[in-house]
Amino acid sequence: MRIVVRIGGSVIASPPNPGLIRKYAELISDLRSRGHEVAVVVGGGRLAREFIGWAHELGLSEQEQDELAISVSRLFAQMLAMRIGGYGWRTVPVTIEEAARMLNERGVVIMGGIKPGMTTDTVAALIASEVKAEIIVKATDQDGVYTKDPRKYPDAKKIDELSFEELDEMLAENRHRAGIHQIIDPEAARILREKRIKTVVVNGFKPENILLAINGAAVGTIIR
Ligand code: UTP
């Protein structure tokens, strides 16, 4: 099966968590040895946002701020890739085409961001669509998609299953409330809906959730 795993910077990089990165490296090698092909997209987390803040203070443009955040995400991708494949895996692909080629060659590719003005969710949706992945698992810092932001509302409820159309309605409602954390970038959601790629949002602090999601277990929030 072709799988895309999107690992939130909030999970492995805020603060950087070598113990967890090691577990992800083991998980990805394990998936590969079971015959799966895996594209991994990692975000830059807190450090990326710090760079954005520093760049902003320096008067750099949004495009420049994004480039710095992308570099940070690539640094985490490089670290994870080297842990799995050694020095030979130090090169992180910088385009979707390059990533697809690497996936075809070695069955695993680890990447960060690709261009300003998007998020790593969209990168994950683009690579999934390019390589015709069966599933995207988004490893995040929450147990799934909630009715409201669970960090602000204690009565927020986790949703077990959602259609892409329902997700779209939720994102449209949230768009009008500034500052609400989007569990999935709306641009990514649009691509996934169009291509009907099953998406599972799980708690990434337990990497075994990725395996459960791939095996079709009821974990996190399943969107299809
Ligand atoms: P994300 O918000 O996608 O990464 O990218 P994250 O750290 O994994 O976030 P969580 O854990 O889901 O919360 C961080 C920033 O990097 C820039 C954008 O500014 C984005 O907000 N970025 C990332 C790009 O400009 N282009 C990319 O392709 C990827």
Side-chain angles (χ1 to χ4, degrees), residues 7-132:
I7 311 176
S10 51
V11 175
I12 54 163
S14 309
N17 186 336
L20 194 55
I21 293 173
R22 183 191 291 271
K23 280 193 191 158
Y24 271 104
E26 284 162 10
L27 173 86
I28 294 156
S29 302
D30 183 43
L31 289 173
R32 184 67 196 119
S33 60
R34 288 171 197 234
H36 298 301
E37 291 179 295
V38 198
V40 182
V41 184
V42 303
R46 194 185 294 165
L47 185 59
R49 295 202 166 80
E50 276 177 348
F51 265 96
I52 289 176
W54 299 326
H56 180 77
E57 274 184 49
L58 283 171
L60 301 187
S61 68
E62 270 186 35
Q63 188 179 357
E64 290 166 324
Q65 295 169 24
D66 278 353
E67 284 293 349
L68 291 163
I70 291 168
S71 296
V72 175
S73 68
R74 287 181 183 156
L75 206 48
F76 284 102
Q78 190 182 33
M79 190 154 65
L80 177 59
M82 290 192 299
R83 175 65 222 177
I84 300 170
Y87 194 65
W89 281 30
R90 69 190 176 281
T91 307
V92 173
V94 297
T95 63
I96 294 294
E97 296 69 36
E98 218 183 314
R101 210 177 317 124
M102 279 172 123
L103 183 69
N104 287 330
E105 279 164 15
R106 50 155 123 111
V108 173
V109 66
I110 321 278
M111 66 192 303
I114 50 168
K115 66 171 177 228
M118 57 170 69
T119 66
T120 37
D121 275 357
T122 302
V123 176
L126 289 172
I127 185 71
S129 136
E130 176 73 22
V131 305
K132 300 195 167 43

Side-chain angles (χ1 to χ4, degrees), residues 1-7 39 41 120-129 133-139 164 184 188 191-192 197-202 210 213-214 221-223:
M1 183 163 38
R2 280 200 150 165
I3 300 160
V4 173
V5 182
R6 147 85 170 107
I7 311 176
V41 184
T120 37
D121 275 357
T122 302
V123 176
L126 289 172
I127 185 71
S129 136
E134 248 171 80
I135 185 171
I136 291 194
V137 186
K138 177 168 173 168
F164 281 112
I184 285 196
I191 299 168
L192 298 172
I197 302 172
K198 180 180 179 186
T199 303
V200 187
V201 180
V202 300
I210 316 285
I214 291 166
T221 300
I222 300 169
I223 309 163

